[in-house]
């Protein structure tokens, strides 16, 4: 599994192309040949960039859902809405399709943020707002998610 590190700022041109920062491109090097899947995030107004290997793992889980249950079928449709296969070109640029730019509100200033095995792609202003909004609740969230008392389920 890939595990990405860092938050990087870059700019989108008028066509929706991002120049991937060199440090991040190096982290993506093993996935460059296979390509990526770009999709709408479930909980935030950002995009998620999956290396193809990670997307395949996700689809393996989703393919186990019983499609004859309406909620599963609805989930699959919504989860895969707007999904696109994308590649980083020889110049190190990633083209974001117009419909996904519209969803995410990406303008010129962009943030690429690591989210363990995927990257989030944000409009810079929306990213900073999301971080600011979550700041006051983060200590409680960290305790709830990571602060379990038993050694097997928490970091501490």
């Amino acid at each position: 599994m890939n595990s990405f590190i860092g938050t990087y700022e870059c700019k989108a041109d008028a066509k929706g192309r991002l120049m991937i920062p060199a440090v991040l491109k190096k982290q993506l090097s093993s996935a460059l040949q296979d390509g990526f899947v770009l999709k709408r995030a479930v909980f935030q107004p950002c995009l998620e960039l999956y290396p193809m290997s990670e997307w395949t793992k996700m689809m393996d889980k989703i393919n186990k859902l019983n499609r004859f249950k309406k909620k599963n079928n609805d989930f699959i449709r919504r989860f895969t809405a707007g999904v696109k296969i994308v590649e980083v070109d020889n110049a190190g640029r990633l083209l974001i399709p117009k419909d996904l730019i519209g969803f995410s509100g990406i303008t010129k200033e962009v943030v690429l943020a690591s989210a363990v095995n995927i990257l989030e792609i944000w409009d810079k202003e929306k990213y900073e707002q999301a971080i600011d909004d979550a700041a006051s609740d983060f200590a409680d969230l960290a305790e709830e998610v990571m602060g379990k008392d038993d050694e097997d389920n928490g970091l501490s």
Side-chain angles (χ1 to χ4, degrees):
M1 173 177 97
N2 292 322
S3 186
F4 301 114
I5 299 170
T7 302
Y8 306 90
E9 293 185 14
C10 58
K11 295 184 184 329
D13 68 15
K15 295 181 180 180
R17 294 177 297 196
L18 306 177
M19 179 64 75
I20 304 289
V23 132
L24 188 54
K25 191 175 173 190
K26 188 173 182 179
Q27 291 181 57
L28 293 170
S29 64
S30 65
L32 287 174
Q33 187 167 347
D34 294 335
F36 301 88
V37 171
L38 188 62
K39 69 175 288 301
R40 302 170 185 176
V42 174
F43 300 109
Q44 298 289 340
C46 69
L47 304 175
E48 296 173 338
L49 184 69
Y50 285 76
M52 194 59 74
S53 61
E54 293 299 324
W55 182 253
T56 300
K57 289 177 194 173
M58 180 63 70
M59 288 296 98
D60 287 345
K61 291 178 185 177
I62 289 176
N63 281 331
K64 291 177 182 164
L65 296 174
N66 181 346
R67 296 207 55 163
F68 286 96
K69 290 187 177 181
K70 184 178 181 330
K71 70 179 180 181
N72 292 352
N73 209 35
D74 291 347
F75 169 79
I76 292 167
R77 183 178 310 106
R78 296 285 306 272
F79 185 80
T80 58
V83 168
K84 304 280 191 292
I85 294 176
V86 295
E87 296 179 354
V88 175
D89 68 15
N90 291 336
R93 298 174 302 190
L94 176 73
L95 176 64
I96 300 175
K98 290 191 184 313
D99 63 321
L100 294 178
I101 285 177
F103 169 81
S104 60
I106 288 174
T107 55
K108 186 172 183 158
E109 303 292 323
V110 177
V111 172
L112 302 172
S114 60
V116 186
N117 60 340
I118 66 170
L119 293 172
E120 293 179 340
I121 302 175
W122 289 81
D123 175 77
K124 183 180 178 184
E125 194 172 297
K126 288 184 180 192
Y127 178 77
E128 289 174 355
Q129 185 63 51
I131 294 298
D132 289 347
D133 289 349
S136 62
D137 299 328
F138 186 68
D140 291 337
L141 179 63
E143 182 177 9
E144 183 179 332
V145 172
M146 301 302 288
K148 300 202 187 297
D149 290 332
D150 58 30
E151 295 175 19
D152 294 332
N153 294 324
L155 291 179
S156 52

